[in-house]
Amino acid sequence: MKVARTALIALALILISSPLYAQEESAEAEDYQVPDAYVEQVKAGGAILELSLADAIRLSLTNNLEIEIENYNEELNKQRVFGTKGFYDPVFTATIGWNAAKSPTTRLLEAGTIAVFERDGFLFNSAFSQSIPWGGNYEIGFNNSRNLSNDTSATINPAYNAGLRFTFNQPLLRGFKETQTERQFKLFNLDTEISDKQFQQRVSEIVQQVENQYWELAYAIENYEARRRSLELAIVQYRNNSKRVEIGVMAPIEITSSRAEVATREQEMIASRVDIINAQNQFKRLVAPDPGANLWDLSMIPTERPGIKDLTITLDEAISTALKRRPEIDQINLELEKNQVDRKYYQRFGKPAIDFQAVLNPIGTSGDDIRGEESPFNGTITTAWSQMIGFDYINWQLGVNVEIPLRNRENESQLAQLGIADRQMMSRMKDTQQLVIVDVRTAYESITTRKEGLEAAQVARELSEEQLEGENKRFEAGLSTNFEVLRYQRDLADAQVRELRAIVDYQLALTSL
């Protein structure tokens, strides 16, 4: 026993005096430092923004550019509806003009007295018209003119003419209420609702993206901390080994393996820092309002950690809720409503046209009457107006226009296409419902799988901690090697990271559901 101990001491003295030991001795002077925690580093390096999950979602709903883009669609549809209402806006028109004409006399009675027939005049006409929602329209016209000529056969010269004209048209069958404008109005309103459902769907997707990226950032920071703790263990092992080599109870070659392990874990920690940067940038893209926002200069720090929550809903309840709430199903229902609007329109459009028309036209005429002062037409334009307003001379008309198409293949084709579109839409509905059910079942069942994976990862991490603790005791007792201790340290770090990943994956599965 004494001989063996003497030989061991001699071997240690030989190694200490060798060049290899001299190299490790110089390396022993290298003092590794464990970096601060990530949050401490960014606090020391600049401004930070600590966010809860609710804060992150609120920030994204306020700032997210994709949501802002979707908002414009709703505004565009509102303007389309507003523009369609313009069909019923009243219109006022006015015409003012002068005219004159000269022509050779061609009438037998004037041939001896007038060689050239001359006429000049002035007119002022105005009208007020408007379309009404039942498919009809009306117009009120007010016409005025003054005519002067050298016609010796005219009894009133110059002559002032005035007239009011009331016109009313109303479809009684085709075009009654179900007009092209009303059809467009209904379609645009449904398009607005579809845009609203698309907006809801996009907001839901973005909120899910924000939640996912929030947890990915939290995972990246926790992963960094796990790698940092692993590096700390490797540095402690390196320092302990250096002391053992110094007192001669360990071979100097173990210093090299310890340093190599420290370098490897430094690389892993640097890689995890890159993951934080990538997760930060993806997260900022979802919550920043523009490329020049101050948020890009801040370090985002999630204040929440993913938790383990149990499901409080059954699979059947989840599927039933999804079929009622999913915006894509609502969109198909709205498309079916649009088809019904078109169907009503074309069903009425295929009927005969029966249009009621009414015209009322009081007129007045005045001027210089060659028949004498007792003539009722002697006067100025105001005399003509008085006759017109008093309804002294009335023209009127009532009638019905009828149009009967002997065949309307265009309308038949439109109705047939709508029938095909309805059947196609119902098939789309069934397909979408199946996709929704698949989504829900996949999300629901993945939660169970993720929960099992999480429990397994927790057990694996606990066992890795026990193994490392036991191996450290064996190493202290001289029953294990530095290589084994480093391996168990690495295994523990990997187990901790896998547990973190399992927790985040479980949280993401809950978010997906």
Side-chain angles (χ1 to χ4, degrees), residues 6-248:
T6 303
L8 182 60
I9 293 172
L11 179 60
L13 290 173
I14 292 171
L15 288 172
I16 290 172
S17 61
S18 67
L20 176 61
Y21 182 81
Q23 180 182 0
E24 294 298 337
E25 184 71 29
S26 63
E28 185 181 355
E30 184 173 355
D31 186 17
Y32 291 104
Q33 296 296 324
V34 181
D36 293 332
Y38 174 77
V39 175
E40 299 302 323
Q41 293 182 42
V42 294
K43 282 183 178 180
I48 67 171
L49 179 61
E50 296 182 325
L51 286 172
S52 66
L53 179 58
D55 291 336
I57 292 174
R58 192 178 300 112
L59 200 60
S60 69
L61 294 177
T62 304
N63 296 339
N64 188 273
L65 292 175
E66 293 185 39
I67 292 179
E68 184 177 347
I69 292 170
E70 291 293 332
N71 264 329
Y72 288 121
N73 290 333
E74 183 177 0
E75 292 181 19
L76 288 172
N77 280 320
K78 286 181 178 179
Q79 289 301 319
R80 291 169 67 191
V81 172
F82 181 76
T84 303
K85 292 179 180 179
F87 179 79
Y88 300 113
D89 290 342
V91 177
F92 175 78
T93 58
T95 303
I96 300 176
W98 292 264
N99 59 78
K102 287 185 179 182
S103 61
T105 299
T106 58
R107 290 184 297 175
L108 178 63
L109 294 176
E110 299 292 338
T113 58
I114 302 175
V116 178
F117 178 74
E118 297 182 5
R119 177 181 61 81
D120 64 76
F122 168 81
L123 63 88
F124 170 74
N125 299 331
S126 60
F128 181 90
S129 61
Q130 185 177 19
S131 297
I132 56 179
W134 298 281
N137 61 78
Y138 68 87
E139 180 177 340
I140 302 174
F142 181 39
N143 300 324
N144 299 276
S145 65
R146 173 189 177 278
N147 292 298
L148 175 66
S149 71
N150 61 351
D151 186 358
T152 58
S153 65
T155 58
I156 300 177
N157 195 20
Y160 300 96
N161 299 301
L164 275 176
R165 184 178 179 87
F166 301 92
T167 304
F168 177 73
N169 293 289
Q170 176 60 55
L172 301 178
L173 197 57
R174 183 202 303 173
F176 179 71
K177 294 186 69 175
E178 297 294 334
T179 64
Q180 173 69 13
T181 302
E182 286 297 311
R183 168 177 172 251
Q184 289 295 331
F185 185 69
K186 292 176 182 177
L187 292 177
F188 288 159
N189 274 326
L190 288 171
D191 283 339
T192 300
E193 292 187 46
I194 290 174
S195 293
D196 184 57
K197 296 300 179 183
Q198 291 172 340
F199 177 76
Q200 291 178 24
Q201 184 175 358
R202 190 68 192 119
V203 168
S204 177
E205 292 170 354
I206 290 172
V207 167
Q208 183 178 355
Q209 290 176 12
V210 171
E211 289 192 38
N212 290 349
Q213 203 56 48
Y214 183 90
W215 297 126
E216 290 293 347
L217 178 57
Y219 164 75
I221 294 174
E222 291 295 332
N223 180 43
Y224 176 86
E225 294 303 321
R227 298 301 180 184
R228 189 179 68 85
R229 290 191 295 269
S230 177
L231 173 63
E232 184 176 11
L233 289 177
I235 291 174
V236 170
Q237 186 70 12
Y238 164 75
R239 291 171 179 169
N240 291 339
N241 289 349
S242 298
K243 292 177 181 179
R244 290 186 176 90
V245 170
E246 184 178 354
I247 63 176

Side-chain angles (χ1 to χ4, degrees), residues 20 23-24 27 32 238 241-242 245 251-263 482 486:
L20 176 61
Q23 180 182 0
E24 294 298 337
Y32 291 104
Y238 164 75
N241 289 349
S242 298
V245 170
I253 191 63
E254 298 295 346
I255 297 294
T256 301
S257 62
S258 296
R259 291 182 63 202
E261 189 64 27
V262 169
N482 178 59
L486 293 175

